[in-house]
Amino acid sequence: MADAIAFDLATELITKLSSRALSQIGLWWNLKHDIDDLKRTVYAIKNVLLDAGEKSVTYERLRLWVEQVTDALYDADDLLDDFSTEALRKDLMSGNKLTKEVRLFFSSSNQFAYILKMGRKIKAIKARLVSIGSEAQMYDLASRFSPVETSFMTKKWQQMHSFVCEDEIIRRDYDEVALLKLVLGFQSEENLYIIPIVGIGGLGKTTLARLVYNDEMVKRHFELMMWVCVSDVFDVKAIVKTIIECVTYKPLDQNLDMDQLQKQLQDKIDGKKYLLVLDAVWNEDVQKWLSLKNLLMGGARGSKIILTTRSMKVAKITSNCPPYVLKGLSDDDAWSLFKKIAFKEGYADSTNSVFVEMGKQILENCAGVPLAIKTIGGMLSFKGTLIEWQSFLDRQLSRISLRENEILDSLGLSYNHLPSHLKLCFAYCRLYPKGHEIDVQTLVQFWIAQGFVKQSNPSQSLYEIGFGYFKDLVERSFFQEVGERYSGEGLTCKMHDLMHDLAIFVAKTNSIVVDSNFSAREVGGKCRHISVNPSLIPLIKGKRLRTLLHFPNKREESQHMSDETWDSIISNCIHLRVLKLDNLDINKVPRSIHKLKHLRYLDLSNNPKLKILPKGICKIQNLQALKLDWCSQLKELPKKIENLVNLTHITCEQCHSLTHMPRGIGMLTSLQTLSGFVVDKDGSHGGADLSELSGLNNLRGQLRIKNLGFVKNAKEIFRAANLKEKQHLRSLVLVWSGDSDDDDKSLEDLQPHPNLESLLVIGWRGDAKFPSWISLLTNLVNISIWGPSKFKHLPSFAQLPCLQHLFILDLIELEYMDYNNPNGRQGGLESFFPLLKRLHIQNCPNMKSWRRRRPIDDDNEDDTT
């Protein structure tokens, strides 16, 4: 991957070195000659990097040369980032009003010592790159000015919900029927019968298990259905905990011991016929398996376990029955799958017999392995000429058999044909644990923080562009299981185990997982990104690190973030761009955190003891994302937050102790996420008032406004919030507080943009009129009103034309409403809301006039008949 990193870094450096601001500063500081020389050197190196990357597969010395280039370009990028950061900091301190471009590089303070230091560093990095670049001549490298493939970027993308899951692309009818017979028909003498599905990675074991698991006959046959992704760590306690959560649909207390979990498990499965899928099992320890099996013996006779594994040994130790050995797809099914994918973009002509013949020759080498077919087909789908297909067939496709290392080679072909920025984005996912459910929004924010996302179109936000990268990788099967965690949540995805293996392979020493003392000491100068057990952070000497991630482990108790760990991060990891420290029992963030001046992403969420943030955070002017969700004792955000001029995301979900928002937050006009805005109840904290929302018109997702009942001069302030200009908001939550009536506070003055999709009103005691702007919300699908409320005049759906425009509503929630319909009985709700899926009415005693003519999924109704 070094060539992809180097090419991307070189491109970014040329952009920075070509800016008018840096050119002007070069003249002022007598560095223009050095800057121009550095730019020419980077240009020359960039032009041969792609050819060097391709040839380095064969020539070891050339691979080492590419690594040298990569290290030097990293250091050059750090230098320019240091330069621009320092200039921006001084500019903000001095109040300079220069243009934004110049402001990034110029400091009016004119500190002579700083200029000399930066001059020496620029000369040194230029000399280093010139020396490395001169060695390129001995390798006879050809100039190439663009990545292998870019044509796919012109594709018009569909919405994410149109992505087809792998089950819908190809079904294994024969295997599905055979497995259904084992699951439904076979009767064992024992209470528990275990069915192993065995096959190499990429064959579709999980897909087949999912098809059977979701079969309607199977759902009717079993009382309980559970699915656990085991992956490479077989931890009985964690597995039992997940099984219980599958039954209860609720997260368990992390502090439960094994005895308590065992009792809960027995209570849930006792005497019930269940189906349990244990997906991706690697454990070959008989004793560990028996300890789990013994806990699962309490179900009724006929209970079944489907177990997927790559290991025949695992199958033998877990079950006495013959394993179901999954083979490659039949020729017809393989061709059907390949044809759907390779020709779907329309670049290649599926009716051209030459394309078809070459496709079948390529397919012969995929051995019927769906993952190999999908990845190679996805790569070919963006190649539109016979020459490109023939080149792939002649030069790059090696014989693939049913051995996993060779299938990994075939997946590597698709990786090699990715543009450099997508190579970086994919390889970065090596830091996630195998089998991890990846939050897509967070992943894209990681990519942005690392500079992988390039803004070529000013009309698109970096997130929109980065999300396009994600969709590119999904289309090429680098991700799977794309979907929502649950209704209202963002997108998630997973990586197939083989794809994760590929990410590990291509990332090499650039990205590693640090999970032992040995691996911590192995973090060397070439490593830029790590995922680490927090207890090992003090052992890491990684001054070049750009990423430090921590993924909370369900098998471990929460860890305390010590002062020693903080000191280690700040002193040894000064070039960090991404720092994720959630769930670490943090109670204090040191003031010296401002020394991490390159930081773009900081996650401190799920630290309930954290009460205050240091002012030093507001000195990290490069910060783009600040995540504080579930910091339940956090009282306030730091003052001078307006200095975080690059901030795009502030999340503070479930921060119940927040008393106010800091003044100046309205100046952060680049904000795209502000999950909560808390009105200062009595003004004693000197907080921002609601009018500071006026200019934040780039806000996206959900906005929750709390303490509306305490707003003074409500009519003026509500309108000043300017909600109707926030066209990207999808969800709005309006929360009143206090005991007094709010008759002077009208919903009419909080009119949102017509694009709003979800509206939740909580605890409003004011004027009972329904706002007239409701008729303008033509995209509204969810409306919820939670009391206590004085909505006594909720309009009749039959008589009020404005509500009839909301025919797309699929959720209505009404709680604690003193509503009485003066117009008598209403018709069935389906007459007005044909898409209504869920109706929730609770503690509304006078709503007996409501009736329905067809079933609706009700939840905790009181009087709805």
Side-chain angles (χ1 to χ4, degrees), residues 244 411 628 636 729:
I244 297 170
L411 303 182
L628 302 164
E636 60 182 1
L729 273 185

Side-chain angles (χ1 to χ4, degrees), residues 797-830:
F797 294 124
Q799 296 183 355
L800 191 63
C802 73
L803 282 181
Q804 295 181 36
H805 287 291
L806 303 180
F807 65 91
I808 62 172
L809 276 177
D810 66 15
L811 168 65
I812 297 177
E813 292 185 298
L814 305 171
E815 293 188 2
Y816 293 94
M817 286 178 52
D818 185 19
Y819 166 74
N820 186 26
N821 179 18
N823 299 305
R825 297 177 65 85
Q826 296 188 11
L829 290 179
E830 70 275 16

Side-chain angles (χ1 to χ4, degrees), residues 327-395:
K327 301 183 184 302
L329 296 175
S330 68
D331 291 345
D332 289 342
D333 285 344
W335 174 247
S336 176
L337 176 58
F338 180 84
K339 185 168 62 172
K340 283 182 180 179
I341 295 175
F343 296 107
K344 69 179 177 181
E345 306 301 337
Y347 290 109
D349 184 3
S350 62
T351 65
N352 186 316
S353 60
V354 182
F355 270 121
V356 171
E357 181 60 30
M358 281 193 288
K360 289 185 175 180
Q361 290 180 53
I362 291 169
L363 191 60
E364 289 176 2
N365 295 285
C366 292
V369 178
L371 186 60
I373 295 170
K374 287 165 63 179
T375 50
I376 291 176
M379 181 266 295
L380 288 171
S381 70
F382 299 105
K383 295 182 179 296
T385 68
L386 291 169
I387 293 175
E388 289 176 304
W389 278 50
Q390 189 65 54
S391 173
F392 177 79
L393 184 61
D394 291 343
R395 295 175 51 204

Side-chain angles (χ1 to χ4, degrees), residues 658-763:
L658 275 180
T659 57
H660 65 287
M661 305 306 286
R663 287 186 179 177
I665 196 169
M667 298 172 65
L668 303 180
T669 54
S670 295
L671 270 182
Q672 297 175 23
T673 301
L674 179 62
S675 57
F677 189 101
V678 182
V679 173
D680 193 347
K681 288 184 179 181
D682 55 11
S684 62
H685 302 94
D689 67 37
L690 211 58
S691 64
E692 293 221 29
L693 287 174
S694 177
L696 304 184
N697 294 331
N698 288 312
L699 291 180
R700 287 159 165 77
Q702 177 174 287
L703 171 63
R704 173 183 289 259
I705 306 177
K706 187 178 176 183
N707 293 342
L708 283 165
F710 294 95
V711 174
K712 308 297 183 184
N713 301 318
K715 189 177 190 65
E716 176 186 346
I717 297 297
F718 282 3
R719 291 187 175 181
N722 199 26
L723 296 182
K724 65 181 179 180
E725 296 298 326
K726 295 170 181 29
Q727 59 178 315
H728 305 294
L729 273 185
R730 292 296 173 261
S731 176
L732 180 62
V733 182
L734 303 175
V735 184
W736 267 255
S737 301
D739 297 326
S740 60
D741 286 347
D742 298 316
D743 289 330
D744 63 330
K745 299 175 177 64
S746 173
L747 280 174
E748 196 69 41
D749 299 316
L750 288 169
Q751 178 179 346
H753 191 277
N755 288 345
L756 197 73
E757 295 175 0
S758 177
L759 174 66
L760 170 58
V761 180
I762 301 177

Side-chain angles (χ1 to χ4, degrees), residues 167 171 185-186 190 197 235 356 415 535 569 623 758 761 859:
D167 308 353
R171 297 184 71 95
F186 184 83
E190 298 182 3
I197 305 176
D235 185 280
V356 171
Y415 169 82
S535 64
I569 291 172
L623 196 63
S758 177
V761 180
D859 183 14

Side-chain angles (χ1 to χ4, degrees), residues 24-144:
Q24 187 175 3
I25 292 168
L27 286 172
W28 290 337
W29 291 359
N30 199 28
L31 294 172
K32 186 176 186 306
H33 179 73
D34 295 300
I35 291 172
D36 289 344
D37 274 357
L38 179 58
K39 182 170 65 175
R40 282 191 291 269
T41 303
V42 175
Y43 254 123
I45 291 174
K46 176 193 172 187
N47 290 344
V48 298
L49 275 174
L50 294 173
D51 191 47
E54 186 174 304
K55 293 178 178 177
S56 65
V57 176
T58 307
Y59 300 106
E60 175 67 13
R61 288 183 62 191
L62 187 54
R63 183 185 66 80
L64 295 175
W65 179 82
V66 172
E67 289 183 358
Q68 278 188 302
V69 171
T70 304
D71 282 342
L73 291 175
Y74 262 129
D75 290 344
D77 188 57
D78 284 339
L79 175 61
L80 289 188
D81 196 63
D82 191 318
F83 185 72
S84 60
T85 300
E86 200 62 32
L88 175 58
R89 180 176 294 180
K90 289 183 173 65
D91 179 49
L92 288 170
M93 290 173 63
S94 65
N96 201 315
K97 301 299 182 182
L98 296 176
T99 66
K100 182 178 180 180
E101 187 180 25
V102 173
R103 189 170 68 235
L104 291 174
F105 289 97
F106 176 65
S107 169
S108 60
S109 59
N110 193 26
Q111 295 181 358
F112 187 66
Y114 181 76
I115 297 172
L116 289 178
K117 184 174 80 170
M118 295 304 295
R120 287 195 298 269
K121 288 187 175 183
I122 289 176
K123 292 176 187 293
I125 198 69
K126 180 196 72 172
R128 182 178 165 194
L129 282 167
V130 167
S131 175
I132 295 172
S134 64
E135 297 177 17
Q137 298 176 6
M138 70 179 70
Y139 299 111
D140 192 26
L141 299 175
S143 294
R144 189 186 294 169

